[in-house]
């Protein structure tokens, strides 16, 4: 009986270690405007995940420094973290920003230097930021993205994503971030035909200005698309950050988006 129990505990430990938890969060204007209270809250919220992809890091003064400050707070919570911040996106017609990745060093190893997409940087205003990670000697590449707003028709950018798996045939791509577009939009059909699937369906991820009939979320914008032949997803969901605040106004001081996440193992 004792040996059986030990084996069960060992299997649970192995399974939990072989699983990777990735979160994605559009943290509105992540820069100097975030107070220490907000940064502590963000650190506490993301500390249970292994890798975090962040969109909307301020491109100008204060963005990179704020990410570094956030990582310092995470390092005070018991795990060792590292991070990478992109150069400002090359947008000239819209709002340039930076992206960031933050990860637990004992869970994931960064392979090579992350990069902003070069080939479609003119067609995509805020070209995605790629980073390849190694876990248990297997690799996958996160493609961190923040689309133009719905009014500007993000599908005109997202349509180029169908070319990226062929552009990087040796990489196991995972697309994640704020698409400003629901996963049911036909622009995602080419990716779906290639074997990609969204982790969230019919799930709103942006905050309203006011809750109505206890409904506080507005739009299905954030998601994660993964290759079903390369990853096995065991769990996914959202983090209802707005429930931690006394009003949506105060929740929106952190961000107008909530974090999304998924847990997976590599095939």
């Amino acid at each position: 009986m004792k040996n059986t129990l030990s084996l069960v505990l060992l299997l649970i430990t192995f399974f939990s270690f072989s699983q990777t938890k990735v979160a994605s969060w559009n943290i509105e204007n992540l820069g100097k405007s975030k107070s220490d209270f907000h940064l502590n809250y963000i650190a506490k919220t993301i500390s249970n995940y292994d890798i975090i992809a962040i969109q909307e890091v301020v491109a100008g003064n204060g963005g990179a420094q704020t990410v570094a400050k956030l990582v310092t707070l995470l390092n005070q919570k018991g795990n060792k973290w590292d991070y990478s911040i992109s150069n400002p996106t090359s947008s000239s017609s819209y709002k340039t920003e930076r992206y960031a990745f933050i990860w637990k060093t004992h869970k994931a190893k960064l392979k090579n230097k992350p990069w902003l997409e070069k080939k479609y940087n003119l067609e995509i205003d805020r070209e995605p930021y790629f980073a390849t990670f190694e876990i248990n000697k297997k690799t996958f590449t996160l493609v961190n993205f923040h689309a133009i707003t719905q009014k500007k028709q993000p599908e005109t950018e997202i349509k180029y994503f169908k070319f990226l798996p062929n552009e990087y045939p040796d990489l196991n791509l995972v697309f994640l971030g704020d698409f400003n577009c629901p996963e049911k939009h036909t622009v995602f059909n080419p990716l779906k035909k290639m074997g990609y699937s969204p982790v969230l369906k019919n799930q709103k991820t942006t905050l309203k200005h006011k809750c109505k009939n206890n409904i506080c979320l507005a739009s299905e914008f954030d998601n994660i698309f993964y290759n079903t032949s390369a990853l096995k997803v065991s769990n996914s969901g959202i983090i209802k950050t707005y429930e931690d605040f006394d009003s949506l106004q105060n929740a929106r001081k952190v961000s107008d988006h909530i974090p999304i996440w998924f847990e997976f193992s590599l095939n």
Side-chain angles (χ1 to χ4, degrees):
M1 181 66 185
K2 190 177 178 182
N3 288 342
T4 305
L5 186 61
S6 298
L7 182 62
V8 169
L9 289 172
L10 189 67
L11 286 170
I12 290 170
T13 304
F14 175 77
F15 181 76
S16 62
F17 192 79
S18 66
Q19 296 286 299
T20 303
K21 294 179 82 171
V22 170
S24 174
W25 197 357
N26 176 335
I27 306 177
E28 186 180 17
N29 292 323
L30 183 60
K32 283 184 174 179
S33 66
K34 301 302 180 199
S35 67
D36 288 347
F37 171 80
H38 293 135
L39 287 177
N40 272 295
Y41 175 79
I42 292 167
K44 181 184 174 186
T45 303
I46 63 178
S47 63
N48 292 327
Y49 298 86
D50 303 317
I51 305 172
I52 299 97
I54 298 174
Q55 305 88 45
E56 256 198 69
V57 178
V58 172
N61 189 19
Q65 295 90 329
T66 301
V67 173
K69 193 173 178 182
L70 178 59
V71 173
T72 298
L73 292 170
L74 284 165
N75 279 327
Q76 293 169 0
K77 294 182 179 294
N79 286 297
K80 177 74 176 74
W81 296 76
D82 203 350
Y83 68 101
S84 176
I85 304 171
S86 76
N87 289 326
T89 53
S90 61
S91 166
S92 56
S93 62
Y94 197 52
K95 185 183 172 189
T96 184
E97 294 170 2
R98 296 179 191 265
Y99 297 99
F101 288 108
I102 304 174
W103 64 93
K104 287 176 181 165
T105 56
H106 78 279
K107 284 291 290 190
K109 179 183 176 184
L110 183 69
K111 298 282 287 182
N112 305 318
K113 187 179 178 182
W115 71 96
L116 286 167
E117 168 58 32
K118 299 172 186 71
K119 190 168 183 181
Y120 299 106
N121 70 317
L122 297 177
E123 292 84 0
I124 302 174
D125 263 14
R126 292 179 292 226
E127 66 272 35
Y129 187 46
F130 292 66
T132 299
F133 293 94
E134 181 182 301
I135 292 174
N136 301 330
K137 298 183 179 179
K138 295 177 181 178
T139 61
F140 62 99
T141 301
L142 296 179
V143 183
N144 195 354
F145 180 57
H146 184 198
I148 52 177
T149 62
Q150 197 171 35
K151 289 178 183 174
K152 290 181 176 283
Q153 297 179 305
E155 60 272 18
T156 59
E157 296 185 319
I158 297 168
K159 68 182 182 183
Y160 292 100
F161 277 51
K162 65 188 176 190
F163 301 120
L164 295 178
N166 289 326
E167 189 183 340
Y168 300 100
D170 298 327
L171 300 181
N172 174 12
L173 301 181
V174 177
F175 302 98
L176 77 175
D178 174 11
F179 296 93
N180 276 312
C181 193
E183 62 80 21
K184 60 176 78 75
H185 194 288
T186 55
V187 73
F188 292 112
N189 285 352
L191 278 179
K192 290 175 180 177
K193 285 176 183 174
M194 295 165 83
Y196 283 82
S197 181
V199 302
L200 302 177
K201 293 182 180 178
N202 302 314
Q203 177 60 63
K204 294 175 179 179
T205 59
T206 66
L207 295 182
K208 289 174 173 280
H209 286 276
K210 284 185 177 181
C211 295
K212 191 173 181 181
N213 299 325
N214 288 326
I215 296 171
C216 305
L217 297 176
S219 302
E220 299 172 32
F221 284 171
D222 304 85
N223 219 317
I224 301 165
F225 290 83
Y226 69 99
N227 189 330
T228 54
S229 65
L231 270 68
K232 185 175 182 181
V233 174
S234 57
N235 208 353
S236 63
I238 59 172
I239 306 173
K240 297 179 180 178
T241 49
Y242 56 93
E243 292 183 349
D244 296 331
F245 295 87
D246 58 2
S247 69
L248 277 189
Q249 285 69 30
N250 284 330
R252 289 174 68 96
K253 288 176 184 176
V254 175
S255 182
D256 54 351
H257 289 246
I258 59 173
I260 64 171
W261 61 274
F262 79 137
E263 189 172 13
F264 64 94
S265 58
L266 292 159
N267 291 344

